[in-house]
Amino acid sequence: RTIIISHLGDDGSKSLAPVLALLQNNLPIKMVESPDDWLGVMDELLPGEIYLLENIRRNPGEMQNDKTFAEKLAGMGDIYVNDAFAVSHREHASIVGIPKFTPGFMGFLFEEEVANLSKVFNPEHPFILLLGGAKFSTKLTLIEKFINLSDIIFIYGALAHAFFKELGYEMGQSLVETDTSLARQLLNSEKIYLPIDVRVKNGAEVTMKHPDKLKRDDNILDVGLDSVEQFSEIARDAKLILWNGPLGRFEFGFRGSTDAVAKIIAEHLTAKSIVGGGDTLDSIKSLNLLEKFSFISTGGGAMLDFLALGTLPGLEALK
């Protein structure tokens, strides 16, 4: 008899009904909709039956990691399996609370994530780290971790803007963090490569510019063609590429360089490739290239935390 716990969205407002509909195609499964009815449902199940609990985040005890709530959840089963790698960086009741009260194990997907991501701790060389996205501060730990392990680190997207600002470049209307001082210590590293050209929007006009040539009304929204070509040339001999984060502002439709790099890695390079991050995966999916990457991580923040720290709260809880 099996109980499935999961969530959808950030705050519990969304329903798992679409997930239930899909699972019912193959499994004898029902949903327990009200949080008031969750506890004790195991007594109602017949052998072979499955209950899906409605969005676990509807119970305030989940995100508060309430001990009493976790203990009650644990009392519903004999064995706990965590196959939710993507949220195992969260100290929530269903992730770190339940294993305190009942034997816990990794699921198959979780095991696969740990096995594949751990390869970068003893990588084949040349090893290239490619980082995009918006917030430099969230990826600083990762850069510090891999500055010695990697051979080259390409920093693109708004992450690069922190370096441009520290170099004294005009940033115009571009997205950049208020405090960029953390980038200062990395400016002189020979391993770090920044974009050599950028795609800039000013009013209705979109042009390519060198990053040190921006004007006050310019807004950097993507990496330029020369930068993509530079990556392609340098990465030609790579044995392993780790990629997280888009190169441009996806939400504004600037995905050209991200798509281009995805095609280069998938179709023109022989390196093993490990990729994660929501917008990055959207690019790869839209190009039908998923099968051409060595490993696709389901984790965004969890992937970054595992790579930076070598573990996660959810993994430690199972130990």
Side-chain angles (χ1 to χ4, degrees):
R1 296 177 294 172
T2 305
I3 293 175
I4 301 176
I5 295 173
S6 191
H7 80 278
L8 196 63
D10 295 330
D11 57 3
S13 61
K14 295 182 179 180
S15 172
L16 285 173
V19 178
L20 175 70
L22 184 65
L23 293 176
Q24 284 177 329
N25 292 331
N26 299 291
L27 298 169
I29 185 169
K30 296 179 278 191
M31 180 184 281
V32 186
E33 296 186 4
S34 171
D36 297 330
D37 299 331
W38 286 352
L39 308 176
V41 296
M42 185 61 85
D43 297 334
E44 303 173 16
L45 283 176
L46 298 174
E49 283 191 326
I50 303 169
Y51 268 150
L52 171 67
L53 301 190
E54 180 56 289
N55 192 336
I56 190 72
R57 290 187 175 176
R58 292 190 175 182
N59 192 304
E62 164 66 358
M63 296 174 71
Q64 294 170 5
N65 190 21
D66 181 76
K67 180 181 177 181
T68 302
F69 178 59
E71 188 172 10
K72 288 180 178 178
L73 287 174
M76 295 165 68
D78 302 308
I79 294 172
Y80 165 80
V81 179
N82 180 357
D83 213 17
F85 174 84
V87 289
S88 287
H89 58 317
R90 309 286 189 196
E91 295 191 24
H92 292 172
S94 66
I95 300 296
V96 300
I98 297 176
K100 293 177 180 177
F101 304 102
T102 196
F105 301 87
M106 282 191 287
F108 298 134
L109 182 143
F110 203 128
E111 284 187 332
E112 190 180 10
E113 290 275 3
V114 170
N116 280 279
L117 294 179
S118 295
K119 291 176 182 177
V120 303
F121 299 140
N122 186 24
E124 294 183 71
H125 293 277
F127 167 38
I128 290 177
L129 175 61
L130 171 58
L131 288 178
K135 289 189 176 181
F136 175 79
S137 56
T138 62
K139 298 187 179 178
L140 174 64
T141 306
L142 197 63
I143 297 171
E144 291 176 334
K145 173 75 173 280
F146 285 97
I147 197 74
N148 294 321
L149 279 173
S150 64
D151 297 285
I152 294 172
I153 301 177
F154 286 95
I155 297 181
Y156 292 145
L159 290 184
H161 300 176
F163 289 85
F164 293 158
K165 183 179 175 183
E166 285 299 315
L167 288 167
Y169 297 172
E170 169 64 55
M171 285 286 91
Q173 304 302 309
S174 308
L175 179 65
V176 60
E177 292 189 59
T178 304
D179 182 6
T180 58
S181 59
L182 294 173
R184 199 172 301 154
Q185 60 188 307
L186 299 165
L187 281 177
N188 296 321
S189 172
E190 294 181 356
K191 290 186 176 182
I192 290 180
Y193 283 67
L194 301 173
I196 55 177
D197 64 336
V198 289
R199 194 179 299 270
V200 171
K201 187 173 184 181
N202 191 322
E205 185 181 26
V206 177
T207 56
M208 298 283 192
K209 289 190 174 184
H210 290 289
D212 60 346
K213 303 298 183 185
L214 261 65
K215 297 180 179 178
R216 186 168 294 178
D217 293 328
D218 286 340
N219 187 1
I220 302 174
L221 293 174
D222 204 356
V223 167
L225 298 176
D226 291 343
S227 298
V228 172
E229 182 63 28
Q230 181 192 51
F231 169 81
S232 181
E233 288 293 322
I234 294 174
R236 184 176 297 171
D237 298 323
K239 292 288 198 310
L240 177 64
I241 297 174
L242 173 62
W243 178 18
N244 181 283
L247 281 67
R249 295 292 296 277
F250 250 56
E251 66 271 33
F252 295 152
F254 286 80
R255 55 183 297 155
S257 62
T258 303
D259 289 350
V261 165
K263 290 178 182 178
I264 290 168
I265 294 174
E267 298 177 340
H268 302 291
L269 301 181
T270 58
K272 293 177 182 176
S273 49
I274 298 174
V275 186
D279 288 336
T280 313
L281 298 191
D282 285 345
S283 168
I284 296 170
K285 286 179 183 177
S286 69
L287 297 169
N288 294 315
L289 295 174
L290 282 175
E291 300 299 322
K292 296 193 175 184
F293 285 81
S294 306
F295 181 69
I296 304 287
S297 177
T298 60
M303 174 188 179
L304 294 175
D305 282 6
F306 180 80
L307 291 172
L309 305 173
T311 189
L312 296 172
L315 181 56
E316 290 301 305
L318 296 178
K319 296 178 181 179

